[in-house]
Amino acid sequence: MTSDLETRVLRKITWRIVPFIMVLYLIAFIDRVNIGFASLTMNQDLGFSSTVFGVGAGIFFLGYFLFEVPSNLILHKVGARIWIARVMITWGLVSGAMALVQGTSSFYTLRFLLGVAEAGFFPGIILYLSYWFPARRRAAVTAMFMAAAPLATAIGSPISGALLEMHGIWGLAGWQWMFIIEAVPAVIFGVVVLFFLTDRPEKAKWLTDDERAWLVKTMEQEQAGKVKASHGIWAGLADVRVLALSLIYFGTSAGLYTLGIWAPQIIKSFGLSSFHVGLINSIPAVFAVIGMIVWARHSDKTGERTWHVVGACLLAAAGLVFATGATTVFAVMIALTLVNIGISASKPPLWSMPTMFLSGPAAAAGIATINSLGNLGGFVGPSMIGWIKDTTGSFAGGLYFVAALLVISAVVTLILARGASREATRTASIQH
């Protein structure tokens, strides 16, 4: 009977929550990386070098870094419904304002403010999922949520490429139309969040009494089973495991935003139109969605996280190295497919790790710390690629650099797992 109840509850909350938050993340990711498509014409219009563009695209993550932890702590206090709505509406307005960019200063300023506006969204959703789903189901659910990132590339790339073709309508450039039109859904769905999202299981009127009681009890038991010392905010910030996971996430973020920001220009270098660049850029993302979900389910089924992160990081690194020698559009597409699959597949098992040892305010602070520190890779990776391209005239050196970061992520994951294994052995010997 309990098994039937569990199955029913998990199915109901999955269908209620996951598709909706996937749409929210899809919108967020498009607004975050559509700068890569804007660059196909914007850079020439405004006279931006690769270095200026790389820094401007990456400076988003400095704003993200500075406001991530405070934003997630506010979400934990006031609830996801109000805070996620605030995040979406403000980032939509700032994203639309990107159409007003006229030079380097306004480009840097608006990209920084976009990071400030969006700070708290991703880790807030990760925290939100920990309120609703038991740990054993979290990697699969996280994978479904995070599949929105490659989906955003698959869906958004052709749309962004097509919007660039609106150049000249009402006196606006194609990249200006792209920013304006793609910002509208964020504002609309920000309002929808206020009416649709439920903060906690206790408030879920769309569950029956027995379903709600089972879920509340299950989640309370899971929270009670965690170490009490982990409940303080500073415990979440100071835990060495949080810092290690931040470093791991740094490499995966560098890889993810190298793809999102620079892949359109890499493909464009073969002389294709903006629309065709969008079509080709969408293909690797489709395979990434499939790979991410399959890999996460296997991680949940086996209960293994470490090698699922390591293998995915190494696959992405191999793809980047392969891309440096690609001389045809088809070869580049294969390389980008490997990178897309590796980057996407590494995320769900990685994000299942922090809530295994943190809860309460510590989880809010710890998840936000991992995301904010790790997302600095989104600044370093694209910025370095821009600078190296201006210096050498090629993308190769930058791609090697990001591949090395991913190898470091794999190594740190192994070191973290080894330390956890030693700690578990020591604890077991003390208890006996």
Side-chain angles (χ1 to χ4, degrees), residues 173-360:
W175 58 269
Q176 291 176 305
W177 278 115
M178 186 201 71
F179 281 129
I180 293 169
I181 293 173
E182 292 184 348
V184 172
V187 177
I188 293 174
F189 274 86
V191 175
V192 173
V193 164
L194 287 170
F195 299 95
F196 186 83
L197 216 58
T198 306
D199 285 329
R200 295 274 191 163
E202 295 89 336
K203 299 179 180 180
K205 295 180 180 179
W206 40 272
L207 292 174
T208 63
D209 290 342
D210 62 330
E211 291 170 345
R212 187 164 53 251
W214 177 86
L215 182 59
V216 170
K217 182 180 179 182
T218 298
M219 299 313 297
E220 285 179 347
Q221 288 176 340
E222 186 171 287
Q223 296 298 318
K226 296 176 183 177
V227 181
K228 290 183 179 180
S230 293
H231 284 254
I233 292 174
W234 292 109
L237 293 171
D239 196 306
V240 68
R241 293 168 294 187
V242 168
L243 300 178
L245 288 169
S246 299
L247 182 56
I248 297 166
Y249 195 53
F250 184 96
T252 64
S253 294
L256 178 65
Y257 294 106
T258 290
L259 280 175
I261 292 168
W262 286 105
Q265 287 199 41
I266 293 173
I267 298 170
K268 179 78 171 179
S269 66
F270 287 90
L272 301 173
S273 69
S274 296
F275 179 68
H276 287 114
V277 169
L279 290 178
I280 292 173
N281 196 49
S282 69
I283 295 172
V286 174
F287 289 98
V289 173
I290 299 169
M292 169 188 272
I293 293 173
V294 170
W295 199 237
R297 285 182 176 174
H298 187 266
S299 179
D300 271 353
K301 185 177 180 180
T302 60
E304 202 285 324
R305 308 300 188 198
T306 302
W307 285 103
H308 283 80
V309 175
V310 171
C313 287
L314 293 179
L315 177 65
L320 287 169
V321 172
F322 179 42
T324 63
T327 56
T328 66
V329 174
F330 181 74
V332 165
M333 191 173 70
I334 295 297
L336 293 178
T337 298
L338 294 178
V339 182
N340 267 275
I341 292 174
I343 293 295
S344 298
S346 70
K347 304 284 189 175
L350 175 59
W351 279 115
S352 297
M353 293 178 175
T355 50
M356 292 170 64
F357 58 86
L358 295 172
S359 65

